[in-house]
Amino acid sequence: MTRSLFVVCAAFLYLSPIHAQITFTEHPIATNYNNPWYVFGIDIDGDTDTDAVASGRLGHCLSWWENIDNVNFIRHDISTTSYYAMGVHAVNIDDDNDVDVLCASQTYGVELWENDGTQTFIRHVIASWGYANRLDVEDVDSDGDPDVLAVCCEALSPMVGWIENEGNLVFTPHVVKDNWDNVNCVYAIDLDDDDDVDILASASGAGDISWFENDGEEVFTEHVILHTTARPSSVYGDDIDSDGDNDVLATICGLDQVVWFANDGNESFTSYLIGSSFFRPHMVRSTDIDDDGDIDVVAAAINSNEIAWWENDGNIPIQWTKHVITNAFTGATGIDIKDVDSDGDFDVLGAAQFANSIRWWESDLNPGINEGEVDYPPMVDFGPTIISGQLKLPEGKNCILYDITGRQVEPLSLKPGIYFIKYDEQIVRKIVRIK
């Protein structure tokens, strides 16, 4: 498939053929990190490349690895006392133009590690929720700052909740549902298309995948998507079938399956199989891996020692083709999808609890857009290069936004992916939206 060409002043982009066949090349980040559970890719030090943040559950560590040249990474420990550290996330939570780190410690609860701007981190426990397990970040109350979502899996009262960011490092925890046996995953997404943030979660002991409808005032009503004895182990949300509403992805541990639930637009969900014989699946994510305009799926399975992606053929019904990224990553547990080497395609990061290893896999996809020289005009703030929410373009400036294929898009309707800002007849900024 050949796409049209457009040229912009001295900073030019050109389009080239896209090939569905992708090879992933493995690169180590850490090879002796005690029981890594999750990994998250983000530019921690503000040097425009993708670093890695990860938790070491049995090492009680929270660390970040500085990306030197996409091959060499230098470890920096944020904490060695985050006991039974599990979920991690990173975001500028205090609006001070640097990246802070969040950690789910099963002992302390939800920790915020505030970055002082020099990558020295200060701990704040923002919710004393024992057995905190997984995290997500989104502006739940639509007040312009990021809030934190968390689940507590093995507590006496297992629960899902959100932690309201009041500003000035003041946080207020809110429980959405408690006494929910082995609740193990949470993801924030607008499932009913009413412009507020709903909550999607799974609970393996209770056997539920549920979404919690936000009434716009942060009062949540539970709707069960699936009830099963087969132990759901993770959830995620995306518009899988490209019909304009958000669907649900899940892993079902007891069936060794990756599945998705199609939203009919009225929040009635129909389940479809993506992949099976994927033993003890633990985490699922999605993005357009092969840059063909539809949403593919990536997942990790502990007992298969495997990270794989499933190619969406773009048809209805969707036909999925499995591609193994690795099947020798012992205890594959956590994954993230980011452009680690800044070459315009999506790479995959992984954490393997039994291999004590954190690695990334480089995609060799020839990107639809290759970047020439990018000219940054003075005195215009185009915001961060990596975003997890709404893109805010400079007010009063004539900016145009393009996706990686060269199509003009609207800033309010961005899906996860790579975008370019055109200003004053120049391409001035590359933006990566991660969720």
Side-chain angles (χ1 to χ4, degrees):
M1 176 175 64
T2 303
R3 294 171 174 158
S4 59
L5 172 73
F6 70 91
V7 179
V8 184
C9 197
F12 64 94
L13 309 176
Y14 63 92
L15 308 182
S16 54
I18 303 297
H19 305 284
Q21 184 63 40
I22 302 171
T23 299
F24 285 91
T25 301
E26 183 176 287
H27 302 279
I29 295 175
T31 56
N32 189 25
Y33 192 67
N34 195 351
N35 199 227
W37 209 259
Y38 291 102
V39 61
F40 188 87
I42 194 168
D43 181 9
I44 289 284
D45 51 4
D47 63 353
T48 72
D49 56 26
T50 300
D51 308 303
V53 183
S55 58
R57 182 172 179 265
L58 298 184
H60 312 302
C61 281
L62 175 66
S63 308
W64 73 281
W65 283 261
E66 181 181 357
N67 185 346
I68 303 302
D69 55 8
N70 302 322
V71 175
N72 297 291
F73 290 79
I74 297 177
R75 173 178 166 179
H76 304 271
D77 285 337
I78 297 171
S79 170
T80 56
T81 58
S82 292
Y83 296 111
Y84 303 101
M86 296 186 73
V88 294
H89 208 291
V91 67
N92 176 19
I93 205 163
D94 52 2
D95 195 28
D96 63 353
N97 297 316
D98 54 37
V99 175
D100 311 297
V101 177
L102 292 146
C103 176
S105 163
Q106 292 196 297
T107 299
Y108 289 124
V110 181
E111 301 177 340
L112 164 64
W113 288 89
E114 177 194 358
N115 187 346
D116 71 355
T118 66
Q119 289 64 254
T120 298
F121 294 88
I122 303 164
R123 175 163 36 198
H124 306 267
V125 177
I126 61 174
S128 297
W129 288 345
Y131 291 94
N133 177 12
R134 296 198 201 187
L135 303 172
D136 195 22
V137 173
E138 191 55 88
D139 184 5
V140 175
D141 52 4
S142 303
D143 64 351
D145 53 32
D147 306 300
V148 182
L149 301 98
V151 293
C152 303
C153 184
E154 298 170 340
L156 293 176
S157 180
M159 48 78 66
V160 58
W162 69 286
I163 305 161
E164 182 179 358
N165 183 351
E166 307 272 11
N168 299 313
L169 295 174
V170 176
F171 295 87
T172 302
H174 302 273
V175 175
V176 174
K177 181 176 181 176
D178 59 6
N179 295 307
W180 201 21
D181 190 15
N182 284 108
V183 53
N184 53 29
C185 191
V186 63
Y187 186 71
I189 190 169
D190 182 6
L191 272 179
D192 53 2
D193 195 28
D194 62 352
D195 296 322
D196 55 34
V197 176
D198 307 305
I199 297 174
L200 179 63
S202 56
S204 59
D208 295 331
I209 295 173
S210 295
W211 73 281
F212 298 83
E213 180 182 359
N214 185 348
D215 70 353
E217 300 293 334
E218 293 70 65
V219 176
F220 292 91
T221 301
E222 182 180 8
H223 304 275
V224 177
I225 297 172
L226 175 71
H227 180 73
T228 176
T229 59
R231 303 184 68 83
S233 51
S234 68
V235 287
Y236 197 71
D238 207 339
D239 185 4
I240 301 299
D241 51 6
S242 303
D243 65 351
D245 52 41
N246 284 315
D247 309 301
V248 174
L249 285 160
T251 53
I252 311 296
C253 190
L255 298 177
D256 302 317
Q257 291 180 347
V258 181
V259 299
W260 74 284
F261 299 85
N263 183 351
D264 70 354
N266 294 302
E267 297 72 64
S268 178
F269 293 89
T270 302
S271 65
Y272 297 94
L273 180 67
I274 296 175
S276 58
S277 299
F278 197 61
F279 301 113
R280 199 180 168 192
H282 189 259
M283 195 170 189
V284 63
R285 289 290 185 264
S286 62
T287 196
D288 185 3
I289 287 285
D290 52 4
D291 191 32
D292 64 351
D294 51 41
I295 298 298
D296 308 302
V297 173
V298 183
I302 294 173
N303 287 358
S304 289
N305 307 317
E306 190 173 359
I307 296 173
W309 73 281
W310 284 263
E311 181 181 353
N312 181 344
D313 72 351
N315 294 318
I316 299 296
I318 298 171
Q319 299 297 314
W320 300 95
T321 302
K322 181 181 178 183
H323 305 272
V324 175
I325 296 174
T326 178
N327 57 10
F329 200 45
T330 310
T333 308
I335 51 173
D336 195 15
I337 306 170
K338 298 288 168 58
D339 183 8
V340 175
D341 52 1
S342 302
D343 66 348
D345 53 32
F346 285 109
D347 310 302
V348 176
L349 299 103
Q353 57 176 305
F354 302 140
N356 295 325
S357 179
I358 300 165
R359 297 178 179 271
W360 74 280
W361 286 266
E362 177 185 358
S363 168
D364 70 350
L365 176 67
N366 187 18
I369 288 182
N370 292 301
E371 299 170 71
E373 180 183 355
V374 177
D375 186 13
Y376 293 87
M379 306 304 292
V380 178
D381 181 9
F382 291 98
T385 58
I386 299 176
I387 60 173
S388 60
Q390 181 177 331
L391 173 61
K392 297 178 181 178
L393 294 175
E395 294 183 3
K397 304 296 181 183
N398 185 21
C399 296
I400 301 174
L401 193 66
Y402 295 98
D403 68 13
I404 197 168
T405 70
R407 293 186 292 258
Q408 185 174 337
V409 294
E410 294 298 322
L412 296 179
S413 60
L414 299 188
K415 296 180 179 180
I418 297 169
Y419 300 90
F420 297 85
I421 298 173
K422 175 184 174 184
Y423 168 70
D424 195 20
E425 298 304 316
Q426 299 174 6
I427 297 298
V428 296
R429 177 60 61 91
K430 172 183 169 183
I431 300 291
V432 178
R433 190 179 194 277
I434 59 176
K435 66 168 287 186

